[in-house]
Amino acid sequence: MNKIIDHCVKSNNKLSNNIYKMTLTGFSKWCLPGKFFNIQIPHCFLRRPMGVFEYGKNSFSFIYKVVGKGTKILSTYKPLDKLNVLIDLGNTFKYKQSFKKPLLITGGSGLGPILSLALLFNKQKIEYDLIVGFVNKTNSYYINEIKKIHPKTIFCTDDGSFGFHGSVVDAIKHHRLLNQYYYCCGSTPMLKAVASNMKSDGQVSLDAHMGCGFGACMGCSIHTKNGWQQICKDGPIFSAKDILWDTIH
């Protein structure tokens, strides 16, 4: 059930040039990998959707990228500051034993939801492969923490300055992982590239500007094989094969 609750900032740490990790204290029983919440930011008309990363008994965190006015304001928040949050939005990643050893793929600001899933897989003793891509070494972040979550993580950069030289798709092909069921979160171009190259189905986490966050405004509608659906209400997790990628921008 959706609730609007004031949460206190526990920490707001800079991870890279424009990447931050914020932890909020408060009600977190709703948290699961894939779920998201909408933050109200002063002087901004629309709330900002954020995907759950780590979560515990009385706190949860998220990773965000400073890209505009709203996230710039968010980056100035300090411990004990309060944020008004609309919680318990969206669906979650799904897992079946038939997926065998799944492949987790992420990059850039899409790290949070996939690492959240990796932590859950660790807890449930589910084996998986993990590929994390960055533009270059300068823009990479959270590397040591990712290695602790999954020591055999395959890192890659577009310019080869860190890890495998190439995109996440190049790394998938190089390591012959095209046939594995996959989970992916990242930029729309990356999601499209992964979906068009993988030989198996998978689940992707889509991002969008949202007017409400719970299906009332139709502002985040997308065209799928199942008709028009809303990222906030029917997603943000979708089967990659259900999305009409040519219509996604």
Side-chain angles (χ1 to χ4, degrees):
M1 183 177 181
N2 306 142
K3 296 180 180 179
I4 298 178
I5 301 176
D6 285 336
H7 286 273
C8 279
V9 175
K10 184 176 181 180
S11 62
N12 189 22
N13 299 319
K14 190 174 184 179
L15 302 180
S16 182
N17 294 333
N18 55 358
I19 302 290
Y20 288 75
K21 177 187 175 184
M22 179 180 284
T23 300
L24 301 176
T25 61
F27 184 70
S28 60
K29 288 185 178 180
W30 59 274
C31 293
L32 284 171
K35 300 282 281 186
F36 74 97
F37 51 96
N38 269 358
I39 295 177
Q40 186 177 63
I41 300 176
H43 313 298
C44 295
F45 179 68
L46 296 178
R47 290 176 180 264
R48 271 32 177 199
M50 300 292 173
V52 171
F53 173 25
E54 295 173 309
Y55 50 93
K57 186 177 181 180
N58 294 304
S59 67
F60 58 94
S61 67
F62 62 99
I63 292 173
Y64 66 97
K65 181 179 182 180
V66 175
V67 293
K69 176 183 176 181
T71 45
K72 179 64 176 177
I73 294 173
L74 196 62
S75 70
T76 67
Y77 272 68
K78 297 177 175 58
L80 300 183
D81 287 344
K82 289 187 177 181
L83 282 168
N84 185 264
V85 184
L86 175 60
I87 63 171
D88 197 8
L89 301 175
N91 59 3
T92 65
F93 291 110
K94 299 175 178 63
Y95 176 76
K96 297 179 181 178
Q97 291 294 332
S98 59
F99 296 164
K100 297 181 180 179
K101 188 179 184 181
L103 171 63
L104 279 57
I105 312 160
T106 187
S109 57
L111 209 63
I114 290 297
L115 290 186
S116 181
L117 183 62
L119 288 168
L120 181 62
F121 281 176
N122 287 350
K123 185 176 180 180
Q124 297 179 347
K125 301 187 185 306
I126 296 171
E127 291 188 8
Y128 61 93
D129 289 309
L130 174 62
I131 293 180
V132 178
F134 297 104
V135 174
N136 52 47
K137 184 176 182 179
T138 302
N139 287 288
S140 65
Y141 64 95
Y142 219 61
I143 301 302
N144 291 333
E145 290 82 358
I146 296 172
K147 289 179 179 178
K148 290 177 183 177
I149 294 172
H150 192 67
K152 295 183 179 180
T153 298
I154 300 168
F155 293 99
C156 58
T157 52
D158 293 344
D159 65 356
S161 54
F162 173 65
F164 178 83
H165 186 177
S167 66
V168 294
V169 172
D170 294 329
I172 292 168
K173 291 179 178 178
H174 178 79
H175 292 276
R176 299 180 180 179
L177 302 173
L178 288 169
N179 292 305
Q180 289 182 220
Y181 190 91
Y182 67 94
Y183 300 85
C184 188
C185 182
S187 67
T188 298
M190 187 187 81
L191 296 179
K192 286 184 177 182
V194 169
S196 64
N197 281 275
M198 292 297 289
K199 296 179 181 179
S200 62
D201 193 12
Q203 296 171 40
V204 295
S205 179
L206 297 183
D207 190 14
H209 294 293
M210 297 178 184
C212 65
F214 45 82
C217 71
M218 308 295 288
C220 61
S221 298
I222 59 169
H223 199 193
T224 75
K225 292 179 181 178
N226 300 312
W228 287 98
Q229 294 191 316
Q230 294 160 274
I231 292 176
C232 67
K233 186 180 72 172
D234 302 302
I237 313 302
F238 293 88
S239 170
K241 288 187 175 180
D242 286 342
I243 297 174
L244 299 176
W245 288 103
D246 290 343
T247 67
I248 304 294
H249 303 289

